[in-house]
């Protein structure tokens, strides 16, 4: 029987995390590095990437690139291969909401097609393109040890439950989950596993004003969310990182095509 430390060990593995300058992406990158992986930090904001890379030392590499630009992604892939010669894991954490694709100040009937296209491009295309670029290397390179490689997509509980306001974002993340299952089947013969995590409510730059007021107290929306969350709190970024580490490790070697909720029980609760 393999020891627990070996099962979850990522020593010698090379991972690329898109959206690494964000709260969840950064926490995932730090978690993978702590588990022993060398991590390519990919995002558009170079200053944040450099700060994160410096904090992780020799185990990290800053990769300035837009997930919607194939040429930039290919240059980032070439940099990773030049430094480390392989890619074992890809975490697609880039994404987010687009204010113009939400309902609130405008009705559903007033939403523009351009805004919906933008949020779908950011979340769905922003997952497809990195998977094509980095996944091509993962699917064609041989691993003499027989270990599988792993792609982890970041979805959202909004993909499975109807949440007010975020119509475009929820639809885009639902597409990511369908893609996850499709890729799991497509890439299984190449020893590449594909799974997703679906975070619940975590405080970040984009949603802080919706969940907390200027004093730090809960807004009405924040109160409703916690009332529907059995754990009675928002999630912590490292709690997403732990699940991603598992999905990238040999402990999950027979796990593919699943979406793991990380939501404090929100998706399980009927509200009664």
């Amino acid at each position: 029987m393999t020891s627990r430390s070996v099962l979850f060990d990522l020593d010698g593995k090379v991972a690329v995390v898109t959206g690494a300058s964000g709260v969840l992406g950064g926490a995932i990158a730090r978690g993978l590095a702590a588990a022993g992986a060398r991590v390519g930090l990919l995002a558009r904001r170079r200053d944040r990437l450099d700060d994160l890379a410096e904090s992780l030392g020799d185990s990290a590499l800053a990769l300035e690139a837009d997930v919607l630009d194939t040429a930039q992604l290919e240059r980032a892939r070439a940099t990773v291969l030049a430094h480390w010669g392989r890619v074992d894991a890809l975490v697609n954490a880039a994404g987010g909401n687009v204010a113009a694709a939400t309902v609130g100040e405008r009705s559903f009937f007033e939403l523009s097609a351009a805004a919906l296209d933008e949020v779908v491009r950011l979340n769905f295309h922003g997952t497809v393109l990195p998977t094509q670029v980095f996944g091509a290397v993962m699917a064609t390179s041989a691993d003499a040890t027989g270990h599988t490689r792993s792609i982890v997509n970041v979805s959202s509980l909004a993909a499975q439950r109807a949440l007010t306001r975020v119509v475009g974002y929820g639809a885009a993340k639902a597409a990511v989950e369908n893609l996850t299952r499709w890729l799991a089947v497509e890439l299984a013969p190449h020893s590449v596993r594909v799974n997703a995590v679906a975070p619940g409510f975590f405080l970040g730059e984009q949603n802080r004003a919706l969940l907390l007021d200027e004093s730090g107290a809960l807004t009405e929306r924040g109160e409703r969310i916690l009332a529907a969350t059995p754990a009675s709190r928002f999630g912590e970024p490292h709690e997403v990182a732990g699940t991603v580490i598992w999905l990238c490790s040999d402990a999950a070697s027979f796990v593919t095509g699943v979406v793991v909720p990380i939501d404090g029980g929100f998706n399980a609760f009927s509200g009664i």
Side-chain angles (χ1 to χ4, degrees):
M1 180 180 294
T2 306
S3 69
R4 284 178 294 175
S5 61
V6 172
L7 277 176
F8 293 92
D9 184 19
L10 299 179
D11 189 44
K13 302 293 185 182
V14 174
V16 173
V17 179
T18 73
S21 63
V23 173
L24 292 184
I28 290 168
R30 285 189 289 270
L32 292 172
R38 292 167 289 181
V39 186
L41 311 170
L42 193 149
R44 293 178 297 178
R45 293 180 284 189
R46 182 74 195 208
D47 55 340
R48 293 194 178 188
L49 290 181
D50 287 339
D51 290 343
L52 180 56
E54 183 177 356
S55 72
L56 296 178
D58 293 339
S59 63
L61 184 64
L63 303 167
E64 185 179 1
D66 187 334
V67 292
L68 296 177
D69 189 315
T70 299
Q72 291 183 24
L73 290 169
E74 290 175 343
R75 287 195 292 270
R77 180 183 64 187
T79 300
V80 172
L81 294 178
H83 276 75
W84 295 322
R86 57 191 291 166
V87 179
D88 301 290
L90 170 66
V91 182
N92 286 306
N97 201 5
V98 173
T102 62
V103 172
E105 296 180 357
R106 66 191 64 80
S107 76
F108 168 77
F109 304 105
E110 297 170 316
L111 289 178
S112 74
L116 293 172
D117 284 346
E118 183 180 356
V119 76
V120 169
R121 279 183 54 77
L122 175 59
N123 292 280
F124 181 67
H125 293 253
T127 298
V128 169
L129 295 182
T131 300
Q132 289 180 321
V133 171
F134 290 98
V137 174
M138 299 166 67
T140 57
S141 56
D143 188 334
T145 66
H147 296 303
T148 59
R149 295 172 180 82
S150 177
I151 295 173
V152 180
N153 298 324
V154 176
S155 180
S156 167
L157 61 84
Q160 301 175 27
R161 300 289 294 271
L163 301 182
T164 59
R165 299 178 61 94
V166 293
V167 55
Y169 178 74
K173 288 301 191 181
V176 169
E177 293 195 1
N178 185 274
L179 175 71
T180 297
R181 290 185 286 270
W182 189 91
L183 284 171
V185 176
E186 181 74 8
L187 298 183
H190 302 282
S191 298
V192 177
R193 297 179 294 106
V194 187
N195 296 289
V197 294
F201 288 91
F202 292 73
L203 286 174
E205 295 176 2
Q206 292 188 331
N207 66 359
R208 184 174 297 275
L210 290 174
L211 304 180
L212 301 177
D213 63 23
E214 293 181 356
S215 71
L218 290 170
T219 62
E220 180 183 356
R221 187 175 179 84
E223 290 176 349
R224 290 173 62 192
I225 288 167
L226 292 194
T229 303
S232 300
R233 64 176 177 85
F234 299 122
E236 298 289 340
H238 72 268
E239 293 172 313
V240 176
T243 304
V244 173
I245 292 168
W246 165 60
L247 289 173
C248 289
S249 74
D250 286 345
S253 59
F254 202 52
V255 178
T256 194
V258 305
V259 179
V260 183
I262 310 171
D263 62 3
F266 186 98
N267 198 46
F269 186 36
S270 70
I272 300 174

